[in-house]
């Protein structure tokens, strides 16, 4: 998605945690699917996609592939989809304990596995991290907040140590005057980059706005459009 790549300063960065936040149906999952399809289709490496809401499907990836100008090499659609799907590892994760288990397995495999080229996981996606963290941090539950901070530390460690791009999504909650990203101030420091996505009512036109960036100015925004699925 060229507009988002521009706001990110050239796309998802290795070694960094990027967050996409926005209200329901704003396009957060589509960004995750586009990112996974793009990386796998262009032989950039493998993708680990952690799905918390059963939103991932091969048919959605196939639709995205039909939009992407993949390469000059002509490839039958079924073969291309099979190749791309073989590079996307999708796991369903529905609670914080399952997330810790998957991240632990990922770290062990990255530490031990001898990788070769495209088999190396280069992108970790969690859609959505807030659906796993929000239930454990309500009220005065200090243990829940400690677990949230642990998740942030693990994700940043994986990104830095193994040169991964980490992409997570977060929902919005009511704030003073305007919605704001969920998970509060403790989580706010976790992502290196935070983009907010909003969708024009009744259309596929979206606006991405930079809320946080390590190198570029905040407050920049650009419009983009998803083709109807």
């Amino acid at each position: 998605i060229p507009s988002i790549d521009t706001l990110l300063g050239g796309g998802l960065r290795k070694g960094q945690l990027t967050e996409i936040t926005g209200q329901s149906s704003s396009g957060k999952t589509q960004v995750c699917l586009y990112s996974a399809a793009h990386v796998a289709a262009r032989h950039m490496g493998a993708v680990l996609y952690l799905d918390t809401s059963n939103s991932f499907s091969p048919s959605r990836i196939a639709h995205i592939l039909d939009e992407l100008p993949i390469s000059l090499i002509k490839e039958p659609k079924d073969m291309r989809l099979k190749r791309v799907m073989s590079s996307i590892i999708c796991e369903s994760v529905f609670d914080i304990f399952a997330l810790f288990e998957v991240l632990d397995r990922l770290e062990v495999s990255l530490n031990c596995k001898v990788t070769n080229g495209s088999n190396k996981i280069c992108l970790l996606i969690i859609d959505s991290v807030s659906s796993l963290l929000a239930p454990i941090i309500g009220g005065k539950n200090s243990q829940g907040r400690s677990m949230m901070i642990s998740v942030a530390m693990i994700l940043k460690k994986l990104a830095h140590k193994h040169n991964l791009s980490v992409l997570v999504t977060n929902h919005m909650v009511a704030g003073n005057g305007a919605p704001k990203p969920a998970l509060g101030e403790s989580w706010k420091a976790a992502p290196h980059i935070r983009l907010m996505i909003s969708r024009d009512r009744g259309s596929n036109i979206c606006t991405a706005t930079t809320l946080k960036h390590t190198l570029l100015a905040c407050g920049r925004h650009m419009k983009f459009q998803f083709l109807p699925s």
Side-chain angles (χ1 to χ4, degrees):
I1 306 174
S3 296
I4 291 183
D5 284 347
T6 298
L7 289 178
L8 293 174
L12 296 170
R13 295 175 179 269
K14 292 183 177 181
Q16 291 195 345
L17 169 59
T18 301
E19 179 187 273
I20 304 292
T21 187
Q23 298 190 19
S24 178
S25 302
S26 59
K28 302 186 296 297
T29 293
Q30 285 97 318
V31 172
C32 292
L33 294 171
Y34 270 72
S35 300
H38 177 86
V39 167
R42 294 186 181 275
H43 304 278
M44 300 169 77
V47 180
L48 177 57
Y49 195 113
L50 305 186
D51 184 11
T52 69
S53 60
N54 292 323
S55 298
F56 182 92
S57 72
S59 61
R60 298 184 76 175
I61 295 294
H63 177 74
I64 292 170
L65 291 177
D66 289 341
E67 301 176 28
L68 296 179
I70 301 301
S71 68
L72 297 178
I73 301 175
K74 298 301 180 182
E75 190 176 12
K77 285 186 178 182
D78 57 340
M79 291 184 61
R80 183 176 65 182
L81 179 60
K82 184 177 180 180
R83 173 178 63 81
V84 168
M85 290 302 300
S86 69
S87 295
I88 301 176
I89 307 159
C90 181
E91 295 201 27
S92 295
V93 177
F94 299 120
D95 61 53
I96 186 67
F97 302 104
L99 176 62
F100 278 127
E101 182 181 345
V102 171
L103 294 180
D104 183 60
R105 281 193 277 113
L106 173 61
E107 184 169 20
V108 170
S109 67
L110 290 172
N111 285 333
C112 300
K113 187 177 180 181
V114 178
T115 59
N116 54 356
S118 62
N119 291 328
K120 182 180 185 301
I121 292 177
C122 67
L123 174 61
L124 168 63
I125 296 174
I126 307 177
D127 182 30
S128 77
V129 73
S130 57
S131 68
L132 302 176
L133 297 178
I136 67 171
I137 60 173
K140 299 180 179 179
N141 187 354
S142 59
Q143 182 181 8
R145 293 190 177 276
S146 296
M147 294 171 74
M148 179 179 70
I149 293 171
S150 294
V151 169
M153 292 176 63
I154 292 170
L155 293 178
K156 295 174 84 168
K157 176 185 175 183
L158 287 171
H160 176 74
K161 182 177 179 181
H162 299 286
N163 206 27
L164 300 180
S165 295
V166 180
L167 175 64
V168 303
T169 63
N170 187 5
H171 66 275
M172 305 285 281
V173 295
N176 294 326
K180 61 181 181 180
L183 304 179
E185 293 297 317
S186 299
W187 177 260
K188 185 178 180 180
H192 297 92
I193 299 171
R194 172 179 269 181
L195 294 185
M196 180 179 69
I197 292 179
S198 60
R199 188 191 293 262
D200 294 351
R201 181 173 297 181
S203 77
N204 287 315
I205 298 175
C206 303
T207 302
T209 304
T210 309
L211 300 183
K212 178 182 179 182
H213 202 290
T214 53
L215 299 174
L216 303 176
C218 297
R220 300 180 306 137
H221 57 87
M222 296 189 72
K223 289 189 176 294
F224 62 98
Q225 184 172 3
F226 292 116
L227 294 181
S229 57

